[in-house]
Amino acid sequence: VLDQFTMFFSCMVINFCHPGVTNHFLCKSRHPRAIRYNDIAVMQHYNLAACFDLLRDKDMNFMQNCDKDTNESFRMMLVRVVVRSDIKSHYEELSIFQTKIAANDFPDVDQLEDRLVLMGVSVRLADIAWTCRPQQ
């Protein structure tokens, strides 16, 4: 259940506070966010930081009644899935997915890395699928 919730929440986080420009633009224009995050997955890191900053407020922290291990697992998976959504890593992530698919034992639901690969690919597909919708 935590995996599915992490995917759902990741879909919201990847476009949270989106400035309407690409990471590449932020880096090339030397935007303060790009400087802060060292030109690495700038929007993803910014969105995660803003999200976790909001979750520090006890009135907004929907995870406050979960145990420490669940909170840490959620945070770790959310970070790894959201950072994977940076388009700069698209071909690397695609290669990892293709390698995993070629294996006979993929996905092994007991392997965190296999689940993270599937979550990352699923969230990326959801993120870019909006461009395939009919124009209105």
Side-chain angles (χ1 to χ4, degrees):
V1 172
L2 187 59
D3 290 0
Q4 290 107 349
F5 180 73
T6 302
M7 281 190 352
F8 171 76
F9 198 72
S10 296
C11 289
M12 291 187 289
V13 171
I14 58 174
N15 289 312
F16 180 61
C17 301
H18 198 295
V21 296
T22 64
N23 280 339
H24 181 74
F25 179 85
L26 293 173
C27 295
K28 290 297 181 186
S29 66
R30 305 307 302 149
H31 190 279
R33 289 182 191 177
I35 293 167
R36 170 169 289 191
Y37 298 108
N38 300 310
D39 297 340
I40 300 169
V42 175
M43 287 189 298
Q44 289 76 12
H45 284 114
Y46 178 81
N47 294 350
L48 285 162
C51 170
F52 286 122
D53 191 47
L54 288 173
L55 292 178
R56 289 176 32 189
D57 180 344
K58 68 178 183 177
D59 291 333
M60 298 191 70
N61 188 352
F62 53 83
M63 297 288 288
Q64 66 184 335
N65 293 325
C66 295
D67 61 69
K68 183 180 178 182
D69 288 342
T70 301
N71 272 290
E72 288 177 2
S73 292
F74 171 70
R75 179 178 165 82
M76 178 273 302
M77 289 190 300
L78 185 66
V79 168
R80 293 195 48 196
V81 170
V82 170
V83 169
R84 280 184 147 128
S85 72
D86 182 6
I87 198 68
K88 196 173 191 177
S89 65
H90 175 77
Y91 290 107
E92 179 184 347
E93 292 296 323
L94 183 59
S95 176
I96 291 168
F97 182 60
Q98 288 171 328
T99 301
K100 291 279 191 183
I101 288 287
N104 291 332
D105 61 346
F106 180 77
D108 182 347
V109 294
D110 294 326
Q111 294 295 318
L112 176 62
E113 188 57 35
D114 282 3
R115 295 192 329 263
L116 287 170
V117 167
L118 285 174
M119 288 191 296
V121 167
S122 299
V123 168
R124 180 182 303 276
L125 288 171
D127 185 37
I128 61 176
W130 70 270
T131 60
C132 299
R133 73 187 191 293
Q135 292 185 345
Q136 296 182 12

